[in-house]
Amino acid sequence: MASTAKFAEVAALAGDPARAGMLHALMDGRALTATELARVAGITPQTASSHISRMAAAGLLCVEKQGRHRYHRLASGAVAQMMESIMQVASDLQPARSLTVGPRDAALRQARTCYDHLAGRLGVALVAGGYAELERDAGVITEPGLDLLGRLGIDVASLSARKGKRGARVLCRPCLDWSERRAHLAGAVGAALCAHSFAKGWIRRIEGTRAVAVTPKGERAFREELQMRLG
């Protein structure tokens, strides 16, 4: 169990508006430079670097070097899950008069990335389709789900084999969706489905947000292959 001091440190780091903005920007699973994160947070690059150093030291961010460039991403899926949970609590506590949403908010609620898996109505629909059964802290892929993954060419056996290795991620787990108030599919299978959807052109990123748009090709695929209704 984490000490009170560590808990307070993580809470304080995530609670600063500038740092919260940076963490939220990284929720789409991509790595960003300090300059990009500074722009998101509306602060100077020097101030951003200081914030990034503190979050990296605490284990919230990791740094990747490519030549002269340094890229920053969330350190783990657990950090993304923490952010999603905070957003749910914040949404629940938000005054009712503030719940009017614009086009950008509507897009986030329809479909978005939550670290490396799909969230919003699209992510929840994967569970509603009967492809996974999620409990409070765990989940299993159903027989229809295994059949679907096989048709899509996603090798569940390979994902399961990785599970047995040190540091490997859970195969299937719930992630509470802040906008839908229900669980969407996370874990290795959720990540594989998200990657497959991008690779096949079923979804595309919307610039400046972690919302994703379902393409016409995707609408057909989700309707015909997954029997999903997104409307």
Side-chain angles (χ1 to χ4, degrees):
M1 181 176 177
S3 67
T4 301
K6 189 63 177 179
F7 172 83
E9 178 191 9
V10 171
L13 286 170
D16 176 85
R19 291 191 291 265
M22 293 182 191
L23 291 170
H24 188 268
L26 295 170
M27 282 286 286
D28 66 1
R30 291 182 291 180
L32 299 177
T33 66
T35 300
E36 290 169 326
L37 289 172
R39 190 178 304 119
V40 166
I43 56 180
T44 66
Q46 292 81 4
T47 301
S49 294
S50 176
H51 284 315
I52 290 168
S53 295
R54 291 183 62 186
M55 289 191 286
L60 297 182
L61 299 183
C62 61
V63 183
E64 300 174 358
K65 296 181 181 179
Q66 290 187 9
R68 295 180 300 170
H69 301 287
R70 294 164 65 91
Y71 295 89
H72 311 274
R73 66 170 70 248
L74 297 184
S76 67
V79 177
Q81 189 175 8
M82 175 190 73
M83 293 298 296
E84 189 80 359
S85 297
I86 291 174
M87 283 185 281
Q88 185 209 350
V89 173
S91 179
D92 287 342
L93 296 177
Q94 192 172 22
R97 64 178 180 273
S98 301
L99 292 180
T100 301
V101 298
R104 179 171 175 172
D105 299 299
L108 281 169
R109 291 170 182 271
Q110 175 68 10
R112 65 182 182 274
T113 49
C114 178
Y115 191 48
D116 61 359
H117 54 272
L118 294 170
R121 282 189 284 274
L122 177 58
V124 168
L126 288 169
V127 179
Y131 301 117
E133 293 180 354
L134 302 178
E135 300 292 337
R136 182 179 179 86
D137 299 311
V140 295
I141 303 300
T142 62
E143 285 298 326
L146 291 173
D147 290 341
L148 169 67
L149 293 171
R151 293 198 308 272
L152 297 179
I154 297 175
D155 188 353
V156 180
S158 175
L159 296 177
S160 299
R162 295 177 201 167
K163 183 182 175 183
K165 297 181 180 178
R166 183 180 178 87
R169 69 188 307 180
V170 174
L171 187 66
C172 172
R173 69 166 178 82
C175 184
L176 190 58
D177 195 289
W178 69 262
S179 60
E180 291 298 297
R181 305 298 198 276
R182 290 177 289 169
H184 57 245
L185 182 63
V189 170
L193 282 168
C194 181
H196 182 85
S197 298
F198 275 120
K200 291 294 184 179
W202 296 355
I203 56 176
R204 61 173 177 80
R205 297 188 186 277
I206 298 176
E207 186 176 356
T209 175
R210 64 186 175 108
V212 297
V214 179
T215 65
K217 181 180 180 181
E219 289 180 358
R220 291 192 301 273
F222 288 126
R223 182 178 63 251
E224 297 170 5
E225 296 286 344
L226 284 75
Q227 286 77 55
M228 289 167 53
R229 292 185 179 180
L230 303 179

